[in-house]
Amino acid sequence: MKYSEYFIPTLRDVPAEAELVSHQLLLRAGFVRKLSAGVYTLLPLGWRVVQKIESVLRDEMDAIACAEMRMPTLHPREMLEETGRWNVDVVYKLQDRREAEFALGFTHEEVMTDIARRDMRSWRDLPRLLYQNQTKFRDEPRPRGGMIRTREFIMFDAYSFDRDEAGMDVSYQKLKGAYDNFFARIQLPVVTAEADGGAIGDLDNHEFMVLSESGEDTILLCPNCGYAANAERCTVLTPESVLSSAPASNGDKPLEMVSTPGARTIDEVAGLLGTSANNLVKTLIYVADGTPVAVLVRGDHEVNEIKLRRLLKAESLGLADSATVERITGAPVGFAGPVGVIGLRLIADNSLLTMRNFIAGANQADAHYVHVNLGRDFSPTEYADIRVAVAKDLCPSCRTEKLEDARGIEVGHIFKLGSKYSAPMGANYTEESGAAKPIQMGSYGIGITRLLAALIENSHDKDGIIWPVAVAPFSVIIVVTYIKDEALVKAGQELHDALRARGVDVLLDDRDERAGIKFKDADLIGIPVRVVIGKGLANGTVEIKVRKNSNSAREAPVAEAANTVVALLSDLS
RNA sequence: CGGGGCGUAGCGCAGUUGGUAGCGCGCGACGUUUGGGACGUUGAGGUCGCAGGUUCGAAUCCUGUCGCCCCGACCA
């Protein structure tokens, strides 16, 4: 491919709209252009990277006999109503001329399950693995970070269909293995973290996370045993000794009310009383399925609403509005406390068990209690793990090391679905015994377009992108330094043809530009190997350089160049 | 949806007390240059997001509206 005939609109300046490095580089290097918030065109280079990613994935799917299909983007309302997902808030809805209603596909569980219920009727049809890789549409409340969270994106989605849970577990491991291979091949380090399945499924599920400061999620990692979990999912371990023993009471100071005018937040109260947040107890009033409940956590902790929802088995859960809070506590928001709250379920986080003489709201305006103690001043209805895990918490797996935290970009999420979709949609198969049983399913998604961003966040320098060979838009760029020198042009063309003949994706920079511009662009777009045809040619050599290695430039005989490059690419893969 | 910020040439930005719009880069032409984003000459390119209003006069002041970015909520 000749650069002069291709389309790579690079930018010199950083577009003002881009904050993330990946976003800046995707725009500057001419990989994507924005059409609207969260809606992007993939330019030729961006599309090539997507295709490279897909081809590695397809290869891994072939290896486990997972078959590709193409599925509709228009999903009829009736089908989504079968699983209660027509009214999911991110669904784009539209009507046809007969006023029939459709959703733009935001995921494909239902369409897949529909195929299964039609054509997987017998135990002889199972297990089966299928996938599709298409554009999905979600009306995201807030698209962000360039390609990190968009409203229209490419998602690679595999699905497994099994007779029973044991089969589902086998399929799950198969897909997980294939994805592990995939990430290894594209040289993207990922952490496999336990995750919350959200509404997709509450069985086993894992996220593939790329550790990055720009990630949207917090991951907790154990440096000892390798355990990893999304913070929203991570269990907080409380030692048995703490759980079983009653709070000690010697040293308790007398309960005392203090004036805290205007101090509504934890920080304000702590500041006013000259103490730190971990001596405070935060009292939050939630409404679960219409019933108010009080929740207590240490001042420096956050309530984990996922855990709370599970504990309460609640369909809907949210913080009470200020009117409700005032009605229940008799005080404005910010002064709620556990002392004196009656007739309300009072759930305390386990961490309160070790707290003594703490501070809490007094249920009246501008006042807090100090020296509050469990048992004496109030008793929670129950203790439970209801807070968000944080760094320095004990690893719930090996129970010895303290967890560390990191930010992560979720590039993949795999779920055991069980019969969550097959049961309501009637996707049953006939057992050998003649009994009808719901198919046990799994779903395995990888965000392709988000991978573009994650790969760049993970691999770039001040000059631009550094693509791994497996996903680079081109493996090699040949820079002809001066195109008015026919010998240089000829040598560049010959090397280009030789590499192409050997199956190498090669870009020949034959533009009528100064060498400096070509070097800058080559670095910016991140081609892994650069060959410069220039002043060395008089001595029969060309310069070969590896993008990720700034000191790697070396001269090689022009006759050997093709061989050298092919060998180099093999080393880099 | 709440909070904050920004909409002026393709990109990055300036524009004073309101007086009819400018800089850098990029783009076209010509010449000189040619291994890390060259230089000179010259040229093209903007209903100042949109709609009202105030005013003799609005990029500038007021109201509304649309769009974009960031933080939060949300994230099937």
Side-chain angles (χ1 to χ4, degrees):
Chain A
M1 184 65 68
K2 288 184 177 175
Y3 200 129
S4 64
E5 296 170 351
Y6 208 54
F7 183 60
I8 308 175
T10 57
L11 270 29
R12 212 175 267 243
D13 297 315
V14 178
E17 69 183 40
E19 187 108 334
L20 287 192
V21 173
S22 60
H23 191 194
Q24 293 174 352
L25 289 174
L26 282 167
L27 290 168
R28 279 191 63 211
F31 283 68
V32 306
R33 286 293 181 263
K34 185 179 69 184
L35 179 60
S36 173
V39 181
Y40 287 84
T41 294
L42 290 165
L43 299 177
L45 287 185
W47 180 233
R48 280 186 82 99
V49 175
V50 166
Q51 288 176 306
K52 292 282 182 102
I53 292 170
E54 290 170 349
S55 82
V56 177
L57 267 169
R58 290 200 167 93
D59 190 51
E60 289 298 329
M61 292 302 106
D62 283 352
I64 58 170
C66 187
E68 181 166 19
M69 310 202 294
R70 191 77 185 171
M71 307 202 90
T73 295
L74 291 176
H75 296 186
R77 171 175 181 159
E78 295 71 31
M79 184 188 71
L80 289 173
E81 284 186 334
E82 290 185 54
T83 52
R85 297 213 294 179
W86 172 252
N87 282 319
V88 168
D89 60 356
V90 295
V91 176
Y92 280 107
K93 297 173 180 177
L94 56 89
Q95 290 189 341
D96 68 13
R97 66 182 72 211
R98 284 181 295 275
E99 299 188 343
E101 295 182 284
F102 294 90
L104 289 182
F106 60 102
T107 179
H108 283 71
E109 278 83 8
E110 284 84 355
V111 191
M112 274 289 177
T113 308
D114 182 66
I115 291 297
R117 71 179 164 186
R118 290 169 191 277
D119 296 303
M120 297 181 192
R121 309 310 311 272
S122 158
W123 65 273
R124 295 170 192 277
D125 298 324
L126 304 174
R128 207 58 45 170
L129 300 176
L130 297 171
Y131 74 94
Q132 44 90 239
N133 176 54
Q134 312 183 200
T135 302
K136 315 232 164 161
F137 300 85
R138 291 182 193 170
D139 187 3
E140 289 287 349
R142 176 149 93 88
R144 73 175 96 192
M147 302 299 281
I148 295 280
R149 181 169 292 276
T150 57
R151 299 200 286 201
E152 181 177 336
F153 56 97
I154 302 172
M155 177 105 121
F156 185 102
D157 247 336
Y159 294 85
S160 62
F161 306 87
D162 281 278
R163 294 171 67 175
D164 50 28
E165 277 187 36
M168 175 176 72
D169 293 349
V170 170
S171 293
Y172 189 83
Q173 290 308 322
K174 245 188 205 179
L175 264 300
K176 184 170 179 302
Y179 283 176
D180 285 339
N181 291 343
F182 162 71
F183 287 115
R185 285 175 64 178
I186 67 169
Q187 296 176 28
L188 183 64
V190 293
V191 169
T192 309
E194 288 187 1
D196 177 71
I200 283 243
D202 47 11
L203 303 175
D204 282 358
N205 67 96
H206 291 87
E207 289 171 332
F208 292 91
M209 308 292 303
V210 175
L211 299 189
S212 162
E213 278 308 306
S214 53
E216 295 182 297
D217 294 285
T218 300
I219 305 301
L220 294 170
L221 305 145
C222 177
N224 178 44
C225 71
Y227 173 84
N230 194 311
E232 66 183 19
R233 160 61 195 256
C234 190
T235 301
V236 176
L237 263 194
T238 305
E240 279 302 318
S241 55
V242 171
L243 288 173
S244 57
S245 65
S249 61
N250 56 326
D252 285 0
K253 297 177 182 170
L255 186 68
E256 183 186 338
M257 188 182 292
V258 297
S259 173
T260 52
R264 293 165 177 274
T265 68
I266 291 291
D267 285 346
E268 286 166 1
V269 175
L272 191 69
L273 299 180
T275 184
S276 54
N278 61 5
N279 291 320
L280 273 66
V281 162
K282 187 155 51 177
T283 305
L284 297 162
I285 309 297
Y286 276 88
V287 176
D289 294 337
T291 307
V293 50
V295 176
L296 305 175
V297 295
R298 212 169 77 186
D300 58 332
H301 288 155
E302 294 293 328
V303 172
N304 184 325
E305 294 188 8
I306 292 166
K307 290 177 180 175
L308 185 60
R309 186 193 298 270
R310 285 227 172 91
L311 180 76
L312 297 171
K313 298 183 173 63
E315 285 289 313
S316 76
L317 179 73
L319 279 170
D321 58 35
S322 51
T324 307
V325 172
E326 286 180 33
R327 181 169 53 78
I328 289 170
T329 66
V333 172
F335 300 98
V339 182
V341 171
I342 39 175
L344 210 56
R345 189 167 170 188
L346 198 56
I347 302 168
D349 185 70
N350 290 331
S351 56
L352 264 70
L353 285 165
T354 56
M355 293 179 72
R356 301 282 300 284
N357 297 320
F358 51 82
I359 299 160
N363 292 326
Q364 54 179 273
D366 300 332
H368 281 76
Y369 282 121
V370 297
H371 310 322
V372 181
N373 282 296
L374 292 165
R376 183 191 70 185
D377 302 320
F378 74 99
S379 292
T381 316
E382 62 198 292
Y383 293 94
D385 169 21
I386 50 165
R387 72 168 170 92
V388 178
V390 295
K392 298 201 171 86
D393 281 343
L394 212 51
C395 171
S397 180
C398 68
R399 296 170 169 261
T400 55
E401 198 68 32
K402 287 178 176 173
L403 295 167
E404 296 172 353
D405 64 351
R407 301 288 289 176
I409 302 169
E410 177 190 352
V411 292
H413 201 158
I414 60 179
F415 304 82
K416 292 179 185 173
L417 299 174
S419 58
K420 180 163 176 108
Y421 296 90
S422 53
M425 292 185 68
N428 298 319
Y429 70 98
T430 309
E431 264 294 1
E432 288 170 276
S433 65
K437 290 176 66 174
I439 297 172
Q440 297 296 303
M441 295 174 56
S443 92
Y444 314 87
I446 289 187
I448 301 291
T449 31
R450 179 180 286 181
L451 264 178
L452 290 185
L455 281 158
I456 294 171
E457 291 291 333
N458 181 253
S459 178
H460 66 269
D461 63 15
K462 65 173 173 44
D463 294 315
I465 305 169
I466 305 173
W467 292 108
V469 172
V471 298
F474 292 92
S475 304
V476 181
I477 183 166
I478 301 169
V479 174
V480 177
T481 57
Y482 187 51
I483 65 154
K484 293 199 173 64
D485 184 332
E486 284 179 21
L488 298 182
V489 173
K490 182 163 172 290
Q493 185 71 51
E494 283 173 0
L495 178 58
H496 167 273
D497 294 349
L499 287 169
R500 236 182 91 80
R502 296 179 65 165
V504 176
D505 281 325
V506 53
L507 183 64
L508 176 64
D509 194 345
D510 60 336
R511 291 176 298 167
D512 184 9
E513 295 284 359
R514 298 164 62 83
I517 288 179
K518 298 187 184 188
F519 295 149
K520 289 290 185 187
D521 278 336
D523 287 348
L524 182 60
I525 65 182
I527 308 300
V529 172
R530 185 186 76 186
V531 181
V532 180
I533 315 271
K535 55 193 178 191
L537 193 67
N539 306 318
T541 64
V542 297
E543 179 198 278
I544 299 176
K545 179 168 179 284
V546 174
R547 171 67 178 88
K548 70 177 178 187
N549 233 324
S550 50
N551 299 319
S552 60
R554 60 191 168 96
E555 295 292 319
V558 64
E560 292 298 312
N563 284 334
T564 308
V565 167
V566 169
L568 201 51
L569 286 174
S570 158
D571 288 348
L572 290 170
S573 296

